[in-house]
Amino acid sequence: LELSFIAANLRDRVEPLLRGRREDCRPPPRDPNAAVLERRVHRRDVLHEVMEWDRRYARMARRRTEMFTRVMAVADSMGDNHPDIGAVARLSNACEDADLDEVLDDVENKINLRFDEALTAVAEAEAASGASKASQYRRPLTRTQYAHHCKKGVRDLLPLYGATPEQLGHGLTSYRRRGDDDGQTLPDMMPEEAAAVYVGEETGYASPADVLKALTHIAAAEVAAEPSVRAYLRTLVRRRACVWTQPTPAGTEAMDPFHPLAEVKRLQAKPVSEFTGTEFAMALKAHREGLVQLKIALPPKVLDEVRDTMEAAYCLEDVSDMADAWNALRKAALKEAMQLLAPTLTRETAVAMEREARAEVKRECGDALWRRIALAPWRPESNGDFDDEEVEVRVLAAVWGPGNPPTTFAMLDANGELVDFLSCPNIAVRTGGGGGRPGQPGPPGQQEGGNFQRQQTDFNRLLKFMIEHRPHVCVVAAAAGAGGGGGGCS
């Protein structure tokens, strides 16, 4: 249904939404006879906002249903006895409880990384049975380093690697400190000894160092795809990321202190949480116009704090040469995971800030436009003694012309019917050879020119025309090309 129909005919159901503003809650002023003295126009912006929320929620609900169907299809193809069925169950629960698009993005990233072969098998089964219209398009296998190393069997070393990504996410989001039951045990062999099993021509790894590098990449990819880790880091980036701007050579020349974008010329580590109003929109506009360089990132101090927190939740607490060797691999995996996640989460933050800035710009434009259009039609003033008498409203309309066609003044009645008109071809013509404005004389030696005399004649004719008809209202039609010709009519 359209909002106008809802506001007019379903008022009882949406009454709270129609009183979204303070001025909408106040009753209109009435006279002693209970007649409304002043009618008020309402914006219904709260109702519009609720309608927009409804569209976004419906779009997210459809996506959540599709994602849940994909996760359950993977679970059915794996069976109840598969060792990874617990991870799939956690993804299905996260999908059911998702209330933001970012949560669904995290679920999609992990299921595409961990269960790419299962998704491909499900797509091939659907294509063979013709179960869906989209099944005619075959889903290709993902060609990534993670899939390549997993196919070689290197992922089987992850139980020796330490904490799982789920345990890391729980340690980051939980207030409980690590204890003896965190599930991490010190392996009984050095990393090189465990990796030596995969060295050979069959696997393609020439040395244990290559195997450990592949293992580190697998662990980093799974950490970067874990929804709980991504949610923790996303919140941290939205809260503690900063913005830097530096003027380009073109911006240094163009952006003086009076430039509309001068306040965002040099921003130094301003937190994204402190941006208000349209400030980020101004920075983004300056960046897209090539006036400034824009950078959004976590400060080095915050990166060190995040790295320490993640290492405390991911590394072993034992003190030995073997523990130090495995912890070195874990730290390398966390560093690589941060390198994978930082650009993605920073880009998400920039998109979210741009979306909020756009909404703020629209709101300010709407408020400015509302102050102009939320005005009652003009009514002639009455004395009070003659309220019952109708006043014959007279309107003078002016349409600018460069000379051919001429500037025309039309006298209209209350019904818009033409009463009289006056053509003034010289009223907006520049006088003199010095480029003077209309209505102003040119240089001293050219004031007696013919253009100036003809313009003064048109002014006198217009004054006589207005005295004769005595209009109540004067309306001037404005256009981009008429900006220079309005000064003389004022």
Side-chain angles (χ1 to χ4, degrees):
L1 299 177
E2 296 183 358
L3 291 179
S4 57
F5 178 84
I6 294 175
N9 301 292
L10 302 179
R11 182 181 296 272
D12 296 338
R13 300 184 185 180
V14 296
E15 183 65 25
L17 301 180
L18 301 180
R19 299 195 304 267
R21 290 177 172 267
R22 180 176 299 178
E23 55 268 21
D24 296 339
C25 301
R26 300 171 181 170
R30 299 177 181 272
D31 62 7
N33 298 326
V36 177
L37 295 176
E38 178 185 353
R39 293 189 177 273
R40 295 176 179 173
V41 59
H42 302 281
R43 293 185 62 170
R44 315 297 190 205
D45 51 349
V46 177
L47 197 60
H48 281 274
E49 190 67 23
V50 171
M51 181 67 74
E52 179 62 25
W53 289 352
D54 183 73
R55 294 192 186 99
R56 291 164 56 185
Y57 179 81
R59 183 169 58 251
M60 188 195 68
R62 288 194 299 269
R63 185 186 176 194
R64 181 172 55 192
T65 302
E66 295 173 358
M67 185 64 61
F68 183 76
T69 303
R70 293 179 60 190
V71 174
M72 294 309 297
V74 171
D76 294 340
S77 65
M78 295 171 59
D80 297 337
N81 299 325
H82 197 279
D84 293 330
I85 193 64
V88 179
R90 287 190 291 271
L91 289 179
S92 65
N93 294 335
C95 188
E96 282 187 315
D97 299 337
D99 55 355
L100 294 173
D101 287 328
E102 288 84 354
V103 179
L104 296 178
D105 292 337
D106 297 343
V107 173
E108 185 176 10
N109 285 330
K110 180 162 186 177
I111 196 173
N112 288 338
L113 179 74
R114 284 283 289 109
F115 307 106
D116 182 66
E117 294 183 358
L119 289 173
T120 304
V122 170
E124 291 177 352
E126 291 180 353
S129 61
S132 63
K133 296 181 179 179
S135 62
Q136 57 181 328
Y137 304 104
R138 185 175 179 179
R139 185 182 186 276
L141 282 172
T142 303
R143 305 296 182 183
T144 60
Q145 295 186 29
Y146 175 87
H148 173 75
H149 296 318
C150 288
K151 189 175 294 184
K152 299 296 182 62
V154 181
R155 193 181 180 278
D156 296 338
L157 292 177
L158 277 184
L160 298 176
Y161 200 81
T164 62
E166 292 84 358
Q167 291 173 339
L168 172 61
H170 181 73
L172 293 175
T173 57
S174 176
Y175 292 101
R176 181 182 66 84
R177 294 190 177 272
R178 290 177 54 180
D180 297 335
D181 58 342
D182 57 1
Q184 295 198 51
T185 58
L186 180 64
D188 55 358
M189 64 180 70
M190 294 294 288
E192 290 77 8
E193 298 176 4
V197 181
Y198 294 90
V199 177
E201 296 181 358
E202 296 181 357
T203 58
Y205 299 111
S207 64
D210 295 337
V211 179
L212 294 179
K213 183 178 180 181
L215 179 61
T216 301
H217 178 78
I218 291 176
E222 293 198 4
V223 168
E226 175 59 31
S228 56
V229 176
R230 293 172 67 93
Y232 169 80
L233 293 178
R234 180 181 294 111
T235 303
L236 186 71
V237 171
R238 298 279 178 90
R239 184 164 48 90
R240 304 190 64 179
C242 296
V243 177
W244 288 263
T245 59
Q246 186 69 21
T248 61
T252 303
E253 181 179 355
M255 298 176 69
D256 57 9
F258 303 99
H259 195 276
L261 306 177
E263 62 180 279
V264 297
K265 184 177 181 178
R266 287 184 174 89
L267 298 179
Q268 295 297 320
K270 180 170 183 176
V272 297
S273 57
E274 295 183 5
F275 278 84
T276 58
T278 61
E279 189 174 4
F280 186 75
M282 296 170 59
L284 198 61
K285 178 179 174 62
H287 172 66
R288 291 177 176 173
E289 292 181 355
L291 300 178
V292 299
Q293 296 177 350
L294 179 65
K295 176 185 174 183
I296 304 176
L298 288 173
K301 181 180 179 181
V302 178
L303 284 175
D304 294 339
E305 294 177 2
V306 174
R307 189 178 298 111
D308 294 341
T309 302
M310 296 181 69
E311 290 178 357
Y314 196 58
C315 294
L316 292 168
E317 295 182 344
D318 298 67
V319 180
S320 64
D321 293 340
M322 187 175 296
D324 292 342
W326 284 103
N327 283 339
L329 293 178
R330 293 188 173 105
K331 293 178 180 179
L334 292 178
K335 182 179 179 180
E336 186 174 349
M338 286 294 297
Q339 292 175 354
L340 293 174
L341 275 177
T344 301
L345 298 181
T346 302
R347 195 179 307 112
E348 286 185 4
T349 302
V351 171
M353 293 179 66
E354 181 181 1
R355 182 171 59 248
E356 295 171 359
R358 284 178 179 272
E360 184 65 21
V361 170
K362 291 180 180 179
R363 188 192 64 80
E364 291 190 3
C365 293
D367 291 343
L369 182 60
W370 183 258
R371 289 192 293 268
R372 294 181 177 274
I373 66 176
L375 299 175
W378 179 85
R379 299 181 61 183
E381 298 180 0
S382 58
N383 299 330
D385 300 334
F386 307 97
D387 290 343
D388 296 336
E389 297 182 4
E390 294 185 0
V391 178
E392 295 183 358
V393 179
R394 298 177 297 277
V395 179
L396 176 63
V399 181
W400 175 84
N404 186 18
T407 300
T408 303
F409 299 88
M411 183 61 61
L412 311 175
D413 60 12
N415 297 323
E417 298 293 337
L418 180 63
V419 177
D420 197 358
F421 73 94
L422 175 66
S423 296
C424 299
N426 302 300
I427 199 170
V429 175
R430 299 184 183 275
T431 59
R437 292 177 55 86
Q440 297 179 354
Q446 299 177 355
Q447 292 188 12
E448 293 80 14
N451 287 343
F452 179 73
Q453 295 297 332
R454 287 191 291 269
Q455 187 182 71
Q456 292 299 319
T457 302
D458 280 349
F459 274 124
N460 296 332
R461 293 173 57 219
L462 175 60
L463 180 60
K464 182 179 179 181
F465 185 78
M466 296 179 67
I467 293 176
E468 177 183 356
H469 293 282
R470 303 185 64 84
H472 295 89
V473 182
C474 295
V475 182
V476 180
C489 298
S490 60

